Amino acid sequence: MKGAIAPLVLLAALGGCDLSMSHQPRHKTFDSATLWDGGPPAAPPPAGTVPRDALGRQDALDNPPPMTLALLERGRDRYGIHCAMCHGSTGAADGPVVQRGFPAPPSYASDKVRALSARQIVGVIGHGYGIMYPRDEVAPRDRWAIAGYVKALGLALAGDETKPGAQP
């Protein structure tokens, strides 16, 4: 009797198997879908919503960190990653991109750039200026670090002109 029940149980179990669970329709990222007419498989954010970190980012942009040696060293590191390809490693507007024919940005030794405040430099990093495109991927604290380093490069490029008591 036991031998006759086992094949019946096995037959009943196999009858419940089908491929509907393993072959299901799915939406691929950024594909058009029928979920929203002609739209992506995810709904767009509702109007008026603010990204999660937007308020913290704005606060970090509005309130500069104290300028320390560690922050300047961070600025030198971030400058090398985000800025040196156009502005050059010393800020003399002689980066590799410029050497290959791209228009040169102003030198950090120029009066116009040296007159910029750190806050204005942070704004240029975030919004761009002239042919420089915005670098929104740079975190707010790193923007302040780069701005401090740019100010230091401007002073170094200007040489003796900025020392107290120097004759113009």
Side-chain angles (χ1 to χ4, degrees):
M1 182 79 150
K2 287 183 181 180
I5 295 178
L8 290 175
V9 170
L10 182 61
L11 187 60
L14 288 176
C17 293
D18 65 57
L19 297 178
S20 66
M21 292 300 286
S22 63
H23 291 82
Q24 294 185 13
R26 66 182 180 93
H27 296 289
K28 294 182 180 177
T29 307
F30 303 117
D31 276 354
S32 181
T34 57
L35 196 53
W36 289 273
D37 292 334
T49 57
V50 178
R52 245 188 294 188
D53 65 342
L55 298 177
R57 283 180 68 87
Q58 190 59 48
D59 186 53
L61 288 170
D62 292 341
N63 301 306
M67 196 54 63
T68 63
L69 181 59
L71 192 67
L72 282 176
E73 288 172 350
R74 174 76 177 179
R76 180 180 60 197
D77 178 59
R78 300 290 98 183
Y79 177 88
I81 293 169
H82 297 288
C83 312
M85 73 282 296
C86 293
H87 293 276
S89 60
T90 63
D94 60 353
V97 172
V98 173
Q99 293 173 7
R100 288 174 177 79
F102 199 75
S107 168
Y108 294 154
S110 72
D111 292 337
K112 182 179 178 182
V113 175
R114 286 184 35 228
L116 293 174
S117 68
R119 186 171 299 281
Q120 289 170 314
I121 295 170
V122 166
V124 168
I125 294 168
H127 301 293
Y129 184 80
I131 59 173
M132 179 180 157
Y133 59 91
R135 302 301 300 250
D136 196 47
E137 74 274 8
V138 179
R141 185 170 175 84
D142 288 343
R143 292 182 199 182
W144 284 108
I146 291 170
Y149 186 68
V150 165
K151 296 296 284 180
L153 284 176
L155 292 173
L157 282 172
D160 292 339
E161 298 174 14
T162 58
K163 290 183 181 174
Q167 297 299 320

